[in-house]
Amino acid sequence: MKGEEEAVIEKVFNVSGSCMPERHYMVDIEERLKHIKRMVEKGDYFTINRARQYGKTTILKALGRYLKDEYTVISLDFQKLSRRDFETEESFVQAVAREILKKTALKKEMPDKIREGLCGLLGRKDSSIGLAELFGCFGSWCKEAEKPVVLAIDEIDNAANNQVFLDFLSQLRSGYIDRDEEAAFWSVILAGVYDIKNLKRKFVGEQEHKMNSPWNIAADFLVDMSFSEEDIAGMLRCYEEDRKTGMDIMAMSKLIFSYTSGYPFLVSRICKTVDERIAGSGEYTGRGQAWTKAGILEAVKLLLTEKNTLFESLSGKLLEYPELKASIYSLLFNGNVIPYNPLSESIDMAEMFGLIKKYQGNAVVSNRIFETLLYNYFLGEEIMGSGIYKAALWDKNQYIQNGHLNMELILRKFVQHFEELYGGLEEGFLEEAGWRYFLLYLKPIINGVGNYYIEARTRNMERTDVIVDYRGEQFVVELKIWRGNAYKERGERQLSDYLDYYHLRKGYMLSFNFNKNKLPGVKEIRLGDKVLVEAVV
């Protein structure tokens, strides 16, 4: 009611739809918008291609507001168009005209002549309507507009398996090439998961004329849309101003970043989980207790057990593209170092879907959460027939003592079960499968309470470090192929140094020794001020 004070909207962390500054806790995207604006000022045509739930819609909507004083921005969302809208040029043209006319923000910006032309397209029922007439309206608009006209289209993936969309791209390309002679859009921005050059993967038949992209005019889009530690800290500062939890903001931002590598959805999901599910539950009686290392790890655990659209999309891609699945499996379990090669179809796809990234010239899994999710995915395919999993499941209760995980006992029992089940198998098979067996053994013991992840910096064909989080405690377990005493001693020193990084005084080593004269078992080794528990199978 007029005169009454407007209700104050309580901000939340958002994981569905675009973020709005007045409603949601957000990172500061000002510098990203400035970078994109410079591309628009140059008249670039470009694509924003990022994985699902990476902030594309948020950045496009914010960009529209950022540019509105200097540009006329036509913002479209192809998600609002139905399959029938892409069947013919007539239906597509009318659908685009309908969406533009619905934009209230464009009413003052649209010349009357253009409005009449678009309305005329909607009023016609004949099949002669085509892209030429739509682009005729666009050209006239660009010519008469007081400000340069920018076209921004979100969710282009919805259109990418239709020939009419490729024809639409061709018209945009022609306008770009001829814009020194005829009026055309000042800049065009397309956003989606699939890069335009990869549209061929959206076609079932993949005919040759559909495999050649009509979008080779696109400028490189080099804006980093992931969140840095500083970005996350800035968002948490805004939250802290409202909630006053007393959290260590930089420590929390570093921890969140260490698990997410700045993937926007994962960052927001962890924050939202801590704020809305962890705080006030169990031992986390308030927000102050929730915004701690233990609270963040609990949120990570919950995240890895939930079913959300992002995780479903990733698992769907593995089923859809067998070569992608094989590459990811090799990267995770075989210890293979895969050089980053953007011309490799499987690497290109994995990066496009957000599964991997380039790191020091190699392809690595994008973040710890995805890595654990993928390990769980592949291990889940083996659980039903796995003897080692069943052995751990049978004995799982004895490994938890007074709420604490007894890692030394886990190693002792693993050595026993491993020898019983696999002692007679060939060395080559066991070298490849040994680490997988340990993860299968560990899974039912910590399932529902703890998590594990693989330390990417140490994973190779002969060494992998598993970090186990259980009720706020961390355990470092180094998995190695035994190559002799000198190699073992070097590994002990490496593990000791690694314990310093995690501020731990006790570490664990599981060595797979295929020497016939080996002595399987578990022993303690003193190394300076540290204790190393070594198990040999």
Side-chain angles (χ1 to χ4, degrees):
M1 186 177 293
K2 188 175 180 180
E4 292 185 0
E5 185 177 343
E6 294 185 4
V8 177
I9 299 175
E10 188 176 86
K11 285 187 177 183
V12 297
F13 292 104
N14 181 43
V15 294
S16 56
S18 62
C19 291
M20 296 176 282
E22 66 278 7
R23 290 178 175 270
H24 304 130
Y25 292 111
M26 297 175 55
V27 305
D28 185 355
I29 59 174
E30 178 81 12
E31 289 303 315
R32 295 169 176 83
L33 293 176
K34 287 180 180 178
H35 188 128
I36 300 173
K37 184 182 179 183
R38 288 195 290 270
M39 296 183 71
V40 171
E41 289 170 343
K42 292 188 295 182
D44 286 340
Y45 282 37
F46 58 96
T47 58
I48 301 177
N49 298 114
R50 294 295 185 272
R52 293 290 178 202
Q53 295 178 284
Y54 217 93
K56 300 182 295 294
T57 299
T58 295
I59 205 81
L60 272 188
K61 287 184 177 293
L63 183 64
R65 296 189 292 269
Y66 196 71
L67 297 176
K68 65 182 179 64
D69 292 338
E70 299 173 51
Y71 298 88
T72 294
V73 182
I74 303 174
S75 297
L76 299 176
D77 183 352
F78 275 6
Q79 193 170 231
K80 296 180 179 179
L81 274 60
S82 70
R83 182 178 298 179
R84 292 183 60 183
D85 291 332
F86 293 101
E87 289 181 354
T88 65
E89 282 194 33
E90 176 191 7
S91 59
F92 177 75
V93 166
Q94 291 185 326
V96 171
R98 180 188 68 233
E99 290 301 314
I100 292 175
L101 289 168
K102 283 165 55 178
K103 299 286 183 180
T104 56
L106 291 175
K107 286 184 177 179
K108 294 182 180 180
E109 308 255 3
M110 189 186 305
D112 292 339
K113 177 182 175 182
I114 305 305
R115 181 175 293 103
E116 292 171 3
L118 293 174
C119 289
L121 291 175
L122 289 178
R124 286 168 54 183
K125 300 299 182 184
D126 61 273
S127 60
S128 64
I129 299 174
L131 288 169
E133 291 181 88
L134 178 64
F135 276 87
C137 287
F138 287 157
S140 298
W141 192 349
C142 294
K143 184 176 181 180
E144 297 182 23
E146 295 181 1
K147 296 182 289 187
V149 181
V150 175
L151 176 65
I153 304 177
D154 198 8
E155 299 290 348
I156 60 166
D157 305 85
N158 277 34
N161 57 346
N162 298 279
Q163 184 60 45
V164 68
F165 176 65
L166 294 188
D167 295 338
F168 177 73
L169 286 182
S170 295
Q171 293 282 343
L172 287 173
R173 179 178 182 273
S174 297
Y176 175 87
I177 293 173
D178 296 335
R179 60 184 179 171
D180 59 333
E181 302 173 4
E182 300 179 16
F185 293 117
W186 180 260
S187 178
V188 173
I189 309 164
L190 307 179
V193 173
Y194 284 83
D195 193 349
I196 296 298
K197 68 179 182 295
N198 291 319
L199 287 180
K200 62 183 180 181
R201 298 200 183 104
K202 298 284 283 183
F203 290 99
V204 177
E206 292 193 357
Q207 297 97 323
E208 181 62 30
H209 71 285
K210 292 180 178 178
M211 292 176 69
N212 295 319
S213 171
W215 199 245
N216 56 7
I217 56 172
D220 292 331
F221 183 76
L222 303 177
V223 178
D224 185 359
M225 290 175 60
S226 64
F227 297 163
S228 66
E229 291 179 5
E230 291 73 21
D231 287 329
I232 299 170
M235 180 170 63
L236 292 182
R237 287 191 189 97
C238 294
Y239 174 85
E240 184 66 10
E241 288 176 6
D242 292 340
R243 308 298 187 185
K244 296 178 174 51
T245 70
M247 77 168 85
D248 184 334
I249 290 175
M250 285 311 302
M252 293 303 98
S253 64
K254 287 177 180 295
L255 185 58
I256 292 170
F257 182 83
S258 72
Y259 277 90
T260 65
S261 295
Y263 196 111
F265 170 80
L266 300 178
V267 171
S268 296
R269 191 63 184 174
I270 289 174
C271 292
K272 188 176 184 69
T273 301
V274 172
D275 180 56
E276 299 180 11
R277 295 182 61 186
I278 306 298
S281 67
E283 62 193 84
Y284 306 99
T285 54
R287 288 192 171 96
Q289 289 75 30
W291 285 99
T292 58
K293 179 180 179 180
I296 297 295
L297 295 181
E298 182 68 15
V300 170
K301 183 196 75 177
L302 292 175
L303 174 58
L304 285 166
T305 58
E306 74 178 21
K307 189 176 182 180
N308 58 57
T309 54
L310 175 60
F311 292 174
E312 288 179 332
S313 174
L314 294 180
S315 63
K317 299 307 179 188
L318 296 179
L319 293 174
E320 188 176 355
Y321 299 104
E323 68 276 22
L324 173 64
K325 183 177 180 180
S327 295
I328 295 295
Y329 185 92
S330 178
L331 180 64
L332 292 175
F333 289 107
N334 296 346
N336 294 336
V337 176
I338 301 179
Y340 177 85
N341 177 11
L343 298 180
S344 165
E345 187 172 20
S346 59
I347 287 178
D348 191 35
M349 280 193 296
E351 184 177 32
M352 183 170 62
F353 297 140
L355 288 167
I356 67 166
K357 62 184 178 182
K358 181 181 179 181
Y359 179 74
Q360 295 183 348
N362 295 319
V364 299
V365 178
S366 294
N367 54 72
R368 287 179 181 173
I369 289 179
F370 280 3
E371 186 169 56
T372 305
L373 186 75
L374 289 166
Y375 272 111
N376 289 341
Y377 173 87
F378 286 112
L379 293 174
E381 295 181 336
E382 301 184 43
I383 282 175
M384 295 306 294
S386 172
I388 200 75
Y389 178 87
K390 293 176 182 177
L393 188 63
W394 184 262
D395 292 338
K396 63 176 293 185
N397 291 334
Q398 64 182 286
Y399 300 128
I400 313 301
Q401 300 168 356
N402 298 321
H404 296 277
L405 190 67
N406 189 330
M407 183 60 70
E408 182 172 343
L409 182 58
I410 290 174
L411 292 182
R412 290 184 182 279
K413 296 293 286 187
F414 175 77
V415 170
Q416 174 188 330
H417 290 306
F418 188 89
E419 289 295 327
E420 291 172 354
L421 291 168
Y422 311 115
L425 294 179
E426 294 181 2
E427 175 181 337
F429 172 77
L430 292 176
E431 281 196 8
E432 177 182 331
W435 301 343
R436 194 167 76 248
Y437 285 147
F438 179 71
L439 294 179
L440 279 167
Y441 193 80
L442 187 63
K443 190 170 178 58
I445 299 172
I446 66 172
N447 191 38
V449 180
N451 283 312
Y452 69 88
Y453 67 88
I454 309 301
E455 179 50 67
R457 290 175 298 174
T458 63
R459 181 179 53 218
N460 56 50
M461 295 187 70
E462 296 190 342
R463 176 189 173 200
T464 293
D465 290 329
V466 180
I467 314 301
V468 180
D469 295 320
Y470 192 89
R471 293 188 180 276
E473 290 185 280
Q474 287 190 310
F475 305 84
V476 177
V477 185
E478 182 175 298
L479 311 179
K480 300 179 73 70
I481 302 295
W482 194 86
R483 302 298 187 197
N485 285 325
Y487 180 83
K488 182 177 75 71
E489 291 170 3
R490 187 169 67 250
E492 291 168 354
R493 290 193 298 271
Q494 289 172 338
L495 179 56
S496 177
D497 293 340
Y498 204 48
L499 290 174
D500 287 335
Y501 175 80
Y502 278 90
H503 307 291
L504 297 171
R505 288 291 172 263
K506 192 171 188 178
Y508 304 85
M509 182 184 294
L510 176 57
S511 298
F512 293 88
N513 185 341
F514 303 107
N515 188 318
K516 292 182 179 180
N517 298 320
K518 69 179 179 182
L519 293 175
V522 179
K523 62 180 179 180
E524 281 193 359
I525 301 171
R526 287 280 175 180
L527 198 64
D529 62 342
K530 301 179 184 67
V531 175
L532 306 181
V533 178
E534 181 179 14
V536 177
V537 294

